[in-house]
Amino acid sequence: MAVTLKEVAELAGVSRSAVSRTFTDGASVSARTREKVEKAAKTLGYKPSLIARSLATNRTKLIGLVANNFQNPAFLDVFDLFTSELQKRELRPLLVNLSAETSPKKVVELLRQYSVDGVIVATSTLPTSFAIAFQTAGIPVIHTFGKFQANANVHVVGIDNDYCGAMAARTFSERGYSTVALLGGPETATSTQDRSAGFQRTAAELGLKVAKVCFAENYTYKAGRDAMRDVLKDPEVEAVFCGDDLICMGAMDAARDAGKSIPEDIGFLGFNDIGMAGWDAYALTTIRQPIRDIIMSSVELVVGMVENPGRSPEIRLFPCSVIERGSLRPLPEAG
Amino acid sequence: MAVTLKEVAELAGVSRSAVSRTFTDGASVSARTREKVEKAAKTLGYKPSLIARSLATNRTKLIGLVANNFQNPAFLDVFDLFTSELQKRELRPLLVNLSAETSPKKVVELLRQYSVDGVIVATSTLPTSFAIAFQTAGIPVIHTFGKFQANANVHVVGIDNDYCGAMAARTFSERGYSTVALLGGPETATSTQDRSAGFQRTAAELGLKVAKVCFAENYTYKAGRDAMRDVLKDPEVEAVFCGDDLICMGAMDAARDAGKSIPEDIGFLGFNDIGMAGWDAYALTTIRQPIRDIIMSSVELVVGMVENPGRSPEIRLFPCSVIERGSLRPLPEAG
DNA sequence: AATTTTTTTGCAACCGGTTGCAAAGTTTTT
DNA sequence: AAAAACTTTGCAACCGGTTGCAAAAAAATT
């Protein structure tokens, strides 16, 4: 069915190598040969087979994209940006939905079998060891949204979660809150752990009482709503720092359900700044994570790794900022 | 770096074919040979290269997944289901983000170059001709969420949009509304056109006045909010049928912003039943589209096509149903 | 035990490209 | 016009598997 190199070579009256070279960037072909080949290729509708090329060059132009959070709208942006950014560079994403795949080990095997050129692990709920498994298998890997360590042994692109936790504590303190709660994302996520640490440490420093610490089971509205019921048992809580906007929205609805009004009776601070955070019904004050920068940088880095595998592990962190809307008391007037 | 067939064959003391056969389902190998090979493979950590296999067998186990709607939360389900459903069958999704890709023609070329075994085009905003282009190129294709025609020439899996439009009109009529509006999705989407047709025809039959027909520019909250401002100019509109839940939520907020309360002053009927539709802040009455059934069926069909390319085009439609929440007047008591 | 049937095995060609190398062809230099 | 330097080209081997075919081995039949 498909037209091959050989047929084009025959029609153009040149060798197979000549045809191959016309379709390879930077190869040496004379203008006359190129013209003949291009004409023949056009006539036959020839396009080189990327599979065959991959076998010969040992490059597939496939980038594995491993995620386990297909429920959260925050990931829509991630997918959109990843795919379009890869496409711009003539690369393709090979998606792996980790929630469905049995073991992480299998995922590594699988992507190795497909000879992906690189892998982006986009999740904060997996340990660093997962990303390292790719590295051990000789596959360039970036742990996006991952936990960074001073003695990095794997590329990490994301944010400083500890610092963001501290930022949340400061945000509460500046607005005059004195007793607050933490309603984090899944407890096993490294992002949750780091934010929690930063939040509690800074709260202590600022004399802010953290009356309650709890965690939602996953990044969903429902999990947030359920966990919030627990927080509401404690009447002294004036504001809640949530590990994710979706969780936060669930928590807000639980609070409203209990007759509280926002921000008068209770304040909420979200995380991520997903599109919905700006909707009138929630008007969420939240800490924005610069997804776009993170993704672009991850793609750039993985491409760099492919070109230069020896590159030493890098940590790239992007700043987050508080987006002021209506779910917290306003800052007191300066002066 | 990677271990090859040849090395395994040498270690096991058998021919390359024997190794190949141990890793090919249904091939003939004796128990003793298989054992020797498996032992050698384990020692060396061998896994067959899928690229090489693809070249030889002309099957890649890659399924192209073309989408152009990465903004809508409804697509999270789509991605999740598609990827996990493909994974169960040992297939991989090769994602194409159409919004970023220049021309549809290029997409066909691209997926052909990667020799995908099949393609699922998951969008209602592209004409049937797009799906047909794959077919012409000899690639099995399913148009999921596509427009179906009596004389089908391409597989379509989805819903009967005309019928759903009619269902919306009946829903309004049953609840005693007499003057309504249609706030559809993008006007170029075939789903919008069909729903609109069914809605208006049935409204006319039921004596329901459609005072206003307009369309959101895309499937977003903002587009819904903007378009709703136009609808609000007409004070006689009692209820609005929206082309998508996200659009509907935007529209609801525009209405509330104008001081209307829901459902007392104005009613809303959404479409899709995304997770957020159930949130307290919206409690959207909406027409549920059975995404899960549609996706599972699409995957099953594309697999069937790969196995039997001669298969004649099929149309698979799934029923939708009204999910009653709080954005419409209740049904009058029976009797 | 000899013959027939069935199963297993290795050989070698093939899938559709790339690429190092040396020969052939051009262009530049002397 | 010959020599030197540079380009272009085709040959042939290779990437890592699969598979039809015939020979070899094993099992079943007589």
Side-chain angles (χ1 to χ4, degrees):
Chain A
M1 183 91 210
V3 185
T4 73
L5 199 67
K6 201 173 145 198
E7 301 168 52
V8 177
E10 276 161 14
L11 180 61
V14 297
S15 74
R16 291 162 60 226
S17 333
V19 180
S20 172
R21 289 185 177 114
T22 4
F23 288 96
T24 311
D25 292 334
S28 136
V29 234
S30 68
R32 199 162 63 253
T33 309
R34 153 156 276 135
E35 202 181 339
K36 279 193 290 184
V37 171
E38 279 174 350
K39 193 174 153 223
K42 182 161 250 175
T43 312
L44 299 172
Y46 169 79
K47 294 277 165 174
S49 152
L50 295 182
I51 298 294
R53 176 177 288 174
S54 298
L55 184 58
T57 59
N58 205 24
R59 285 283 178 89
T60 52
K61 298 202 162 212
L62 290 174
I63 302 291
L65 180 49
V66 182
N68 63 350
N69 199 338
F70 281 66
Q71 310 301 327
N72 199 315
F75 261 71
L76 279 173
D77 287 336
V78 172
F79 288 137
D80 194 4
L81 288 164
F82 258 131
T83 52
S84 58
E85 202 55 31
L86 288 177
Q87 271 168 210
K88 270 186 210 151
R89 299 168 195 249
E90 312 221 287
L91 299 171
R92 292 286 129 197
L94 197 59
L95 220 62
V96 178
N97 184 342
L98 202 56
S99 54
E101 200 74 35
T102 37
S103 80
K105 206 166 209 163
K106 281 211 169 164
V107 176
V108 177
E109 249 347 297
L110 196 123
L111 289 170
R112 206 177 62 138
Q113 283 193 273
Y114 268 107
S115 320
V116 294
D117 288 347
V119 170
I120 290 171
V121 176
T123 164
S124 63
T125 60
L126 287 176
T128 309
S129 62
F130 182 67
I132 291 182
F134 286 100
Q135 214 164 48
T136 309
I139 306 173
V141 64
I142 314 289
H143 193 180
T144 300
F145 304 120
K147 184 185 174 73
F148 67 93
Q149 285 159 311
N151 58 336
N153 36 23
V154 77
H155 290 267
V156 171
V157 181
I159 58 172
D160 185 335
N161 282 297
D162 184 287
Y163 186 85
C164 286
M167 186 186 278
R170 249 178 278 121
T171 303
F172 284 151
S173 181
E174 285 165 3
R175 283 162 184 75
Y177 289 104
S178 55
T179 308
V180 297
L182 170 71
L183 199 178
E187 200 170 354
T188 51
T190 57
S191 55
T192 303
Q193 294 158 8
D194 292 353
R195 276 179 224 161
S196 171
F199 182 68
Q200 297 191 64
R201 193 189 58 244
T202 310
E205 285 166 19
L206 296 169
L208 189 66
K209 179 175 174 194
V210 180
K212 181 96 194 169
V213 172
C214 62
F215 303 94
E217 292 204 353
N218 46 46
Y219 295 106
T220 60
Y221 174 86
K222 187 169 179 310
R225 209 174 197 299
D226 292 348
M228 186 64 198
R229 272 198 273 276
D230 204 25
V231 177
L232 284 167
K233 284 183 194 147
D234 189 333
E236 62 172 341
V237 171
E238 299 164 346
V240 186
F241 172 40
C242 296
D244 175 79
D245 286 345
L246 217 53
I247 290 173
C248 196
M249 291 169 168
M252 287 167 88
D253 280 343
R256 286 171 178 153
D257 217 34
K260 308 248 182 195
S261 57
I262 302 166
E264 293 77 12
D265 301 332
I266 190 164
F268 284 91
L269 177 61
F271 204 96
N272 272 344
D273 194 28
I274 61 177
M276 282 159 272
W279 292 5
D280 297 359
Y282 295 94
L284 193 51
T285 295
T286 188
I287 296 182
R288 194 180 99 83
Q289 178 167 207
I291 300 271
R292 168 164 230 108
D293 294 339
I294 293 171
I295 303 301
M296 306 267 269
S297 185
S298 300
V299 172
E300 191 210 353
L301 201 47
V302 82
V303 170
M305 282 285 284
V306 172
E307 277 157 15
N308 175 11
R311 207 162 159 165
S312 61
E314 212 171 299
I315 291 170
R316 297 189 177 180
L317 301 179
F318 290 88
C320 296
S321 53
V322 176
I323 303 293
E324 196 77 43
R325 293 203 184 87
S327 64
L328 282 187
R329 281 183 207 155
L331 265 175
E333 296 297 318
Chain B
M1 182 92 211
V3 186
T4 74
L5 200 65
K6 201 174 144 196
E7 302 168 49
V8 178
E10 278 162 12
L11 180 61
V14 298
S15 73
R16 290 162 59 226
S17 333
V19 180
S20 173
R21 287 185 178 114
T22 15
F23 288 96
T24 311
D25 291 334
S28 137
V29 235
S30 68
R32 199 161 62 251
T33 309
R34 153 158 275 134
E35 202 182 339
K36 279 193 288 182
V37 171
E38 279 174 350
K39 192 175 154 224
K42 182 160 251 176
T43 312
L44 299 171
Y46 169 78
K47 294 278 165 174
S49 151
L50 295 182
I51 297 294
R53 176 177 287 174
S54 297
L55 183 58
T57 60
N58 206 23
R59 285 282 179 87
T60 53
K61 299 202 162 212
L62 290 174
I63 302 292
L65 180 50
V66 182
N68 63 352
N69 200 339
F70 280 66
Q71 309 302 326
N72 199 315
F75 261 70
L76 279 174
D77 288 337
V78 172
F79 287 137
D80 193 4
L81 289 164
F82 257 130
T83 52
S84 57
E85 202 55 32
L86 288 178
Q87 271 168 209
K88 271 186 211 153
R89 299 167 195 250
E90 312 224 285
L91 299 171
R92 293 287 127 196
L94 197 59
L95 220 63
V96 179
N97 184 341
L98 202 57
S99 54
E101 200 75 36
T102 37
S103 80
K105 205 166 210 164
K106 281 211 169 164
V107 176
V108 178
E109 250 344 300
L110 196 123
L111 289 170
R112 206 177 60 140
Q113 283 193 273
Y114 269 106
S115 319
V116 294
D117 288 347
V119 171
I120 290 172
V121 176
T123 165
S124 63
T125 60
L126 287 175
T128 309
S129 62
F130 181 68
I132 291 183
F134 286 100
Q135 213 164 49
T136 310
I139 306 173
V141 64
I142 314 289
H143 193 181
T144 301
F145 305 118
K147 186 186 174 71
F148 68 93
Q149 286 159 312
N151 59 335
N153 36 25
V154 78
H155 290 268
V156 172
V157 180
I159 57 172
D160 186 334
N161 282 297
D162 184 288
Y163 185 85
C164 286
M167 186 186 278
R170 249 178 278 120
T171 303
F172 284 151
S173 181
E174 284 165 3
R175 283 162 184 74
Y177 289 103
S178 55
T179 307
V180 297
L182 170 71
L183 199 178
E187 200 170 354
T188 51
T190 57
S191 54
T192 303
Q193 293 159 8
D194 292 353
R195 276 179 224 163
S196 171
F199 182 69
Q200 296 192 64
R201 193 189 58 245
T202 309
E205 285 167 19
L206 296 169
L208 189 66
K209 180 176 173 194
V210 181
K212 181 95 193 168
V213 172
C214 63
F215 302 94
E217 292 203 353
N218 46 47
Y219 295 107
T220 60
Y221 174 86
K222 187 170 179 309
R225 210 176 197 298
D226 290 348
M228 187 64 198
R229 272 198 272 278
D230 205 25
V231 177
L232 284 167
K233 285 184 193 145
D234 190 332
E236 62 172 341
V237 171
E238 300 164 344
V240 186
F241 172 41
C242 296
D244 174 79
D245 286 345
L246 216 53
I247 291 173
C248 196
M249 291 169 168
M252 287 167 87
D253 280 343
R256 286 169 179 158
D257 216 34
K260 308 247 182 195
S261 57
I262 301 166
E264 294 76 12
D265 301 334
I266 190 164
F268 284 91
L269 178 61
F271 204 96
N272 273 342
D273 193 28
I274 60 178
M276 283 159 271
W279 293 4
D280 297 359
Y282 295 94
L284 193 51
T285 296
T286 188
I287 296 182
R288 194 180 98 85
Q289 179 168 205
I291 300 270
R292 168 164 230 106
D293 294 339
I294 293 171
I295 302 302
M296 306 265 270
S297 185
S298 300
V299 171
E300 190 210 355
L301 200 48
V302 82
V303 170
M305 282 286 284
V306 171
E307 276 156 16
N308 174 11
R311 206 162 160 164
S312 62
E314 212 170 298
I315 291 171
R316 297 188 177 180
L317 301 180
F318 290 87
C320 295
S321 53
V322 175
I323 303 293
E324 196 77 42
R325 293 203 185 85
S327 64
L328 282 187
R329 278 182 210 157
L331 265 175
E333 297 296 319

